[in-house]
Amino acid sequence: MHKTDTDNQIRLEQLKNIYQLFDQTMASFDVVCEEKCATCCTCNVTMTQLEAQYITLSLQQDEKEKLCKRISNFFPLERYRPEITMNGFARSCIEDKDIPEEENNPEWGKCPLLTDDRCTIYPYRPFGCRALLSEANCKKNGYAQVPEIGQTYQNIFMQAIEHLDQGNSYGNLSDMMTVLLNIDLEKNIDGNSLLINEPVTVMMIPPEHRKKIEPVINHLIHIIQIQA
Ligand code: SF4
């Protein structure tokens, strides 16, 4: 799908508005995440092409060069490579199609963009990172604790972001950056397996959450103008 610079600019503004709405929505949750906790910053984070563009367009030339070096030097050979997008998953469920199996292991390593337990692109980090919030200390428990309705919010925001970038790619952060920035990796990275973003066909909302999240859904629809 061909998108003009103006289209892209509008979609980047819409993306920023979605991030802002997510932050406002999650502000009422009792989250314990704090500075310099990078437990969830693994090499398994994924993102859309639009989010990758948001990062690269926001950085100064020298910051971009540093980012390229980090990806190149710390490219994770083992990493989560999604087999299906969120909207693809929702569509497959209603079409009663098989869901592909995926491999994901936090022990595959840290995110290449993490330095001294700090994110080097924090203001521009993708939704996959923003969504990683916990109501209990992950280091102590070994996992993040997100209330069920918080997971529903994460799903619908991810669906909206994918919808906004439909026709473009989705995949692991390192793969996406390598492609977008034309990073010439010396290592053999075994294919980048990027997927294509799909439009929303059905929102993944359990019936018991519908009423509560309706105002946020309406706001999201307003931002990305999903046709009902
Ligand atoms: S991009 Fe930043 S916030 Fe996201 S996983 Fe990497 S270091 Fe963490």
Side-chain angles (χ1 to χ4, degrees):
M1 186 185 296
H2 176 72
K3 292 188 171 82
T4 64
D5 284 354
T6 313
D7 285 344
N8 228 29
Q9 206 47 50
I10 293 170
R11 289 182 317 117
L12 285 167
E13 286 307 313
Q14 289 170 305
L15 177 66
K16 285 191 250 178
N17 288 338
I18 293 175
Y19 285 165
Q20 202 176 35
L21 179 62
F22 182 74
D23 290 345
Q24 284 164 6
T25 306
M26 299 311 277
S28 59
F29 287 77
D30 205 6
V31 167
V32 297
C33 305
E34 54 188 23
E35 212 184 338
K36 292 210 88 177
C37 174
T39 312
C40 58
C41 289
T42 72
C43 61
N44 299 323
V45 165
T46 57
M47 65 179 167
T48 60
Q49 185 177 325
L50 184 66
E51 293 180 284
Q53 281 173 339
Y54 176 48
I55 296 167
T56 56
L57 292 172
S58 304
L59 298 178
Q60 302 292 327
Q61 187 55 30
D62 61 326
E63 293 172 317
K64 221 187 296 182
E65 282 163 16
K66 281 185 193 160
L67 185 148
C68 290
K69 264 196 193 142
R70 278 192 200 98
I71 297 277
S72 194
N73 292 343
F74 305 110
F75 191 92
L77 293 181
E78 284 194 291
R79 62 203 181 280
Y80 170 56
R81 279 174 283 179
E83 297 282 338
I84 193 163
T85 67
M86 188 65 88
N87 287 337
F89 176 84
R91 179 185 48 70
S92 299
C93 289
I94 52 164
E95 290 174 355
D96 208 16
K97 291 210 169 122
D98 290 340
I99 306 296
E101 283 188 22
E102 296 181 323
E103 255 195 297
N104 195 344
N105 185 345
E107 290 179 6
W108 283 336
K110 288 286 177 195
C111 173
L113 306 188
L114 191 68
T115 303
D116 296 330
D117 282 341
R118 279 183 201 277
C119 174
T120 49
I121 54 149
Y122 190 78
Y124 321 113
R125 70 202 185 287
F127 182 74
C129 312
R130 291 167 197 265
L132 291 169
L133 300 169
S134 180
E135 289 192 327
N137 189 308
C138 310
K139 267 188 200 158
K140 277 192 198 148
N141 294 354
Y143 55 89
Q145 189 176 303
V146 186
E148 272 185 32
I149 193 145
Q151 287 172 13
T152 301
Y153 281 128
Q154 290 172 350
N155 290 343
I156 59 163
F157 274 84
M158 189 60 240
Q159 287 194 262
I161 290 169
E162 182 182 343
H163 181 93
L164 191 59
D165 201 27
Q166 56 189 275
N168 286 326
S169 11
Y170 168 75
N172 182 284
L173 177 147
S174 299
D175 291 319
M176 191 66 79
M177 282 301 179
T178 303
V179 172
L180 199 74
L181 292 168
N182 276 323
I183 300 174
D184 192 12
L185 289 174
E186 285 174 13
K187 300 166 191 165
N188 176 0
I189 63 164
D190 186 24
N192 58 43
S193 25
L194 297 182
L195 304 172
I196 300 294
N197 291 320
E198 297 190 21
V200 170
T201 45
V202 60
M203 281 281 191
M204 299 202 303
I205 311 168
E208 65 274 21
H209 293 164
R210 266 165 218 253
K211 194 155 183 57
K212 169 118 188 175
I213 71 169
E214 201 179 313
V216 174
I217 288 278
N218 289 340
H219 203 150
L220 267 179
I221 289 172
H222 178 73
I223 293 173
I224 64 172
Q225 293 144 17
I226 293 178
Q227 299 302 313

